Amino acid sequence: MKNRFYRPLSLACISPGYFPDIALFIKNNGNFILYKNHDRKFTEADRQRLEWTSTQFLYVRSGDMDVVTEYLEHNLDSLLVRSDIDSGSKGTILYQTAANYVTDIFDEPDKTADIIRCRSLMRHLMKYVSGHEDALKALQAITSQNHYIFTHSVQVAALMMLVHDRLFALTHDEMIDVGVGSLLHDFGLVFLSGDLLDKPDALSAIEYHKVKQHTQKGYEHLHSAGTLGEVSLTIVRHHHEKYDGSGYPSGLKGDQIPRSAQLAALCDTFCAMTTDRPKHNAIPQTEALKIMGEEVGSSFNPELFKRFEAVVSGKTA
Ligand SMILES: [Fe+2]
Ligand SMILES: [Fe+2]
């Protein structure tokens, strides 16, 4: 049988007692052999046995990936703080949870090259995040606060990296900085109460004022935590600035707004409009670009919007 029918799953993500009842396979000399059927629970003895034989990955049928993704989503925040899981495995867990959301930001199935590129950039980013305690803690706080913010953050990070990859010649380190900043751009929302996040459409003036503080609060917290690069911090702080100076927190205008933050505003808006959110249905990408186009000159830099639009609609790939 061919490899595309099976997906690897790090042993670290398979928790005895919690893992869903699906069949697991091991790979031996290129063949996939049934390890346990769906009607048998994965036990602590299984885990130990596989560890003794230095098995790092098991495989699931690709048709079972929806169940696996749901399991990872529900357990992500607890998996990320477990001290018995090494950083490499945490990176794999993060990547596996995030990979599906990357695909969701493309509504045209023929954009395979972009999807593959995004996944590869995401794999590097998640590996980096899992090895850096500050970034991992911040991401863990996001996942335990609200799962939509995690999904949204992953999508903005993937799109930001793709846009930078297509438009600018960034080094690997610069790309990671862009990715980390984008992944944590809404980190400040963790300081808000859950109630507020669940009712995005009906905010009073006071509540809106609180939500707006997520940029500055996120920046201050991550800045004092210490290890984030300048570009990452800029994205967190300035992703709600507007080209005409009417944004927040600083009211920066035009090219006073750093390029990375201007692009973050574009990717943030685009991802929010084109994915299902609480109380908002996703709209098609062409429609989102049309609506965003009407904001050129007020919210967005005309030249950058043109280049962003070309990337997401596949004209520069
Ligand atoms: Fe935001
Ligand atoms: Fe956002």
Side-chain angles (χ1 to χ4, degrees):
M1 277 189 245
K2 285 185 187 157
N3 198 2
R4 68 172 185 272
F5 295 119
Y6 296 91
R7 300 282 185 84
L9 194 60
S10 164
L11 179 61
C13 3
I14 307 174
S15 298
Y18 295 98
F19 194 71
D21 295 338
I22 55 174
L24 289 170
F25 297 79
I26 48 174
K27 198 173 173 183
N28 194 349
N29 293 329
N31 296 315
F32 294 91
I33 298 162
L34 183 68
Y35 176 76
K36 78 153 199 78
N37 217 333
H38 67 92
D39 53 3
R40 183 173 81 71
K41 287 252 178 253
F42 184 83
T43 64
E44 178 58 28
D46 285 316
R47 197 187 63 78
Q48 285 180 11
R49 188 177 309 129
L50 290 162
E51 247 180 28
W52 286 330
T53 55
S54 302
T55 304
Q56 287 183 323
F57 289 95
L58 283 120
Y59 295 81
V60 299
R61 289 189 187 102
S62 53
D64 284 334
M65 269 316 277
D66 281 356
V67 184
V68 173
T69 304
E70 200 183 324
Y71 155 79
L72 288 174
E73 282 174 9
H74 280 107
N75 294 284
L76 186 62
D77 56 326
S78 54
L79 289 166
L80 293 185
V81 290
R82 272 186 29 196
S83 55
D84 58 326
I85 301 180
D86 62 37
S87 71
S89 303
K90 282 179 183 165
T92 308
I93 294 169
L94 270 173
Y95 172 69
Q96 288 193 330
T97 316
N100 286 356
Y101 306 139
V102 170
T103 309
D104 288 348
I105 57 175
F106 300 99
D107 62 6
E108 289 171 38
D110 61 349
K111 299 197 79 183
T112 323
D114 285 346
I115 294 170
I116 292 171
R117 186 67 188 139
C118 270
R119 286 213 171 121
S120 149
L121 293 164
M122 213 60 200
R123 192 173 287 124
H124 290 298
L125 177 64
M126 291 314 197
K127 196 172 161 209
Y128 174 88
V129 168
S130 65
H132 288 78
E133 207 182 337
D134 288 350
L136 189 65
K137 265 192 190 157
L139 189 60
Q140 198 267 331
I142 289 173
T143 61
S144 56
Q145 167 82 343
N146 181 311
H147 202 82
Y148 164 72
I149 304 175
F150 173 74
T151 315
H152 167 71
S153 306
V154 165
Q155 292 182 335
V156 174
L159 191 57
M160 273 289 271
M161 289 192 293
L162 181 74
V163 169
H164 279 80
D165 185 58
R166 294 279 187 256
L167 297 182
F168 312 108
L170 260 56
T171 64
H172 178 265
D173 286 358
E174 288 168 336
M175 190 62 92
I176 291 289
D177 269 358
V178 164
V180 172
S182 308
L183 195 61
L184 303 180
H185 75 279
D186 278 335
F187 170 73
L189 293 174
V190 306
F191 301 113
L192 294 175
S193 78
D195 300 358
L196 211 54
L197 294 175
D198 289 337
K199 54 170 208 168
D201 270 348
L203 298 181
S204 67
I206 293 172
E207 287 167 336
Y208 185 52
H209 176 73
K210 282 187 187 167
V211 171
K212 280 167 68 174
Q213 289 176 343
H214 77 279
T215 47
Q216 187 64 21
K217 278 195 173 172
Y219 164 76
E220 282 168 13
H221 184 93
L222 293 168
H223 184 261
S224 63
T227 57
L228 254 59
E230 213 39 57
V231 171
S232 302
L233 291 169
T234 294
I235 292 170
V236 174
R237 191 182 201 177
H238 294 300
H239 68 274
H240 284 288
E241 303 288 356
K242 292 191 177 191
Y243 195 64
D244 63 3
S246 66
Y248 59 89
S250 310
L252 299 180
K253 199 172 180 178
D255 286 334
Q256 287 175 334
I257 311 167
R259 186 183 74 190
S260 56
Q262 294 193 45
L263 283 162
L266 286 163
C267 294
D268 187 24
T269 308
F270 182 79
C271 287
M273 289 172 102
T274 56
T275 41
D276 286 327
R277 289 173 284 164
K279 298 184 187 170
H280 276 286
N281 288 331
I283 60 169
Q285 295 190 352
T286 44
E287 204 176 316
L289 287 171
K290 201 167 152 247
I291 295 169
M292 288 172 71
E294 287 160 14
E295 297 273 315
V296 161
S298 50
S299 295
F300 308 120
N301 174 329
E303 180 56 31
L304 271 187
F305 176 76
K306 219 190 293 172
R307 301 181 75 184
F308 168 81
E309 187 182 28
V311 174
V312 293
S313 53
K315 288 175 198 153
T316 62

